[in-house]
Amino acid sequence: MFKANDPCWCGSGQKYKRCHRSPEQQLRPGALSPMRTVPEGIVRPDYAETGEPIRRPEPRIKSPEIIERMRRAGFAAAEVLELGAAAIAPGVTTDEIDAIVHQAYIDRGGYPSTLNYRGYPKSLCTSVNEVICHGIPDDRPLVDGDIVNLDVTIFLDGVHGDTNATYGVGNVDEHSKRLIEVTRQCLALGIAAVVPGRPFSDIGRAIETHALAHKYDVVRAFVGHGIGEQFHTDLQIPHYFEPRMDVVMETGMVFTIEPMISMGTGQHRIWDDDWTAVTADGSRTAQFEHTVLVTETGVEILTQIQPG
Ligand code: MF3
Ligand code: CO
Ligand code: CO
């Protein structure tokens, strides 16, 4: 057994009792607030009442008119993410961030895409420390030294814009800072691999190569996805090299790239809430996401406030 003051087995360099991978430091499910409501005037996606999206064929190559709407949704998503991020501080609960983000979608005339999507109960995902993705906002106050991902998706003008980023809370240890920076670089390298005529597998190769060079692992269970009038279309974009992924990128395609990178294993477990995905070994993970458009010359990031 590890004694409280021994260095942690995980190599973080911290005392075991303080290390995020010691059992007493691991995250636990919190309590949820009642489901938030959306004003009548806001146009809802088909699943808003039933919880089940209706699958329908949707062209992979978007029309100029849809692309224009996706630019607006992407820009709005980026603004909402920035507003949510500004609220991050020690002592703030993830539910308080949910409330801010929920209102920010509505202020822009949008619907929170995640709300009742396959029954998901909240308006964004908040994934803390060892949570890989799909963390549900609850009554846990953020703690100094946490890392937290905010994943924001807006349904605006009939289309979705999906983006996320990971932030430090207060003073964060050097290992976690490095994880966040390498993951940010993984997304940038994945985006740089978007070139019309090239296979989708180029994206995963660029991401995986960078993660492995830093002795990190890529989470394989969750992938990027086609997006448009539907939140998730059939197109899948792995964040690791998958040579069978021979589909070719074409001008006009819109999809997300959203690498999840782990300090330890990329294997995951799902909590009893059926949503929260955590690393199997409790190590911290980070994620960044953009919605991108393949252009004639390369790529346009739709979910950013600076155009281009
Ligand atoms: N925004 C997430 C993604 O990047 C999906 C969240 S779906 C939810 O694909 F139901 F978990 F909210
Ligand atoms: Co996504
Ligand atoms: Co997302």
Side-chain angles (χ1 to χ4, degrees):
M1 272 307 283
F2 280 83
K3 297 216 182 72
N5 288 317
D6 287 347
C8 188
W9 51 271
C10 81
S12 66
Q14 308 218 42
K15 287 180 180 171
Y16 178 68
K17 67 177 175 190
R18 298 220 186 289
C19 181
H20 44 76
R21 285 170 79 173
S22 63
E24 54 274 32
Q25 295 292 323
Q26 299 275 290
L27 211 78
R28 273 184 290 273
L32 303 197
S33 62
M35 201 144 169
R36 298 197 152 82
T37 56
V38 176
E40 280 308 320
I42 303 273
V43 177
R44 289 144 211 270
D46 58 25
Y47 54 81
E49 308 303 328
T50 63
E52 278 312 313
I54 302 163
R55 279 240 159 268
R56 53 206 149 82
E58 178 172 343
R60 281 186 176 170
I61 298 175
K62 309 300 186 199
S63 70
E65 187 264 331
I66 291 270
I67 289 171
E68 203 40 51
R69 284 198 262 150
M70 294 198 78
R71 284 198 177 99
R72 288 199 293 272
F75 180 84
E79 284 188 325
V80 173
L81 177 60
E82 200 174 82
L83 279 170
I88 293 172
V92 174
T93 68
T94 48
D95 187 62
E96 286 166 339
I97 298 173
D98 185 76
I100 291 165
V101 163
H102 181 83
Q103 188 58 45
Y105 297 118
I106 292 168
D107 289 344
R108 286 159 181 76
Y111 178 93
S113 301
T114 60
L115 190 62
N116 209 26
Y117 182 73
R118 301 187 185 282
Y120 185 85
K122 291 290 162 192
S123 300
L124 85 159
C125 301
T126 53
S127 299
V128 175
N129 298 344
E130 71 270 23
V131 179
I132 296 168
C133 62
H134 303 165
I136 303 173
D138 64 17
D139 64 349
R140 177 186 179 277
L142 292 169
V143 175
D144 186 69
D146 280 350
I147 61 174
V148 59
N149 176 280
L150 304 186
D151 191 341
V152 155
T153 316
I154 191 168
F155 181 70
L156 183 66
D157 234 344
V159 295
H160 299 268
D162 187 8
T163 183
N164 77 48
T166 303
Y167 306 90
V169 181
N171 297 302
V172 172
D173 68 274
E174 290 307 314
H175 293 274
S176 299
K177 281 188 193 160
R178 199 170 70 103
L179 174 72
I180 291 173
E181 284 323 304
V182 170
T183 307
R184 194 195 309 279
Q185 292 160 5
C186 282
L187 173 58
L189 290 165
I191 293 172
V194 175
V195 177
R198 295 292 308 169
F200 275 98
S201 59
D202 279 10
I203 298 171
R205 176 164 39 206
I207 291 166
E208 183 174 43
T209 302
H210 192 62
L212 296 185
H214 288 271
K215 305 248 182 318
Y216 293 146
D217 205 8
V218 173
V219 174
R220 293 172 170 247
F222 304 95
V223 296
H225 51 91
I227 184 168
E229 296 173 89
Q230 297 172 92
F231 193 168
H232 298 97
T233 70
D234 58 337
L235 184 62
Q236 298 202 342
I237 295 95
H239 304 112
Y240 52 91
F241 182 54
E242 173 51 83
R244 286 168 295 181
M245 188 65 202
D246 56 2
V247 181
V248 164
M249 294 179 254
E250 292 177 66
T251 303
M253 286 180 167
V254 179
F255 51 88
T256 74
I257 306 177
E258 48 183 298
M260 285 142 272
I261 305 297
S262 171
M263 278 187 183
T265 183
Q267 301 288 328
H268 77 287
R269 284 197 229 294
I270 306 277
W271 281 1
D272 288 342
D273 63 16
D274 287 338
W275 281 108
T276 310
V278 295
T279 54
D281 63 358
S283 34
R284 287 188 167 195
T285 72
Q287 182 183 22
F288 286 85
E289 173 176 31
H290 274 306
T291 300
V292 303
L293 163 71
V294 185
T295 64
E296 259 152 53
T297 49
V299 63
E300 179 181 330
I301 299 172
L302 300 183
T303 41
Q304 66 183 3
I305 290 168
Q306 296 299 318

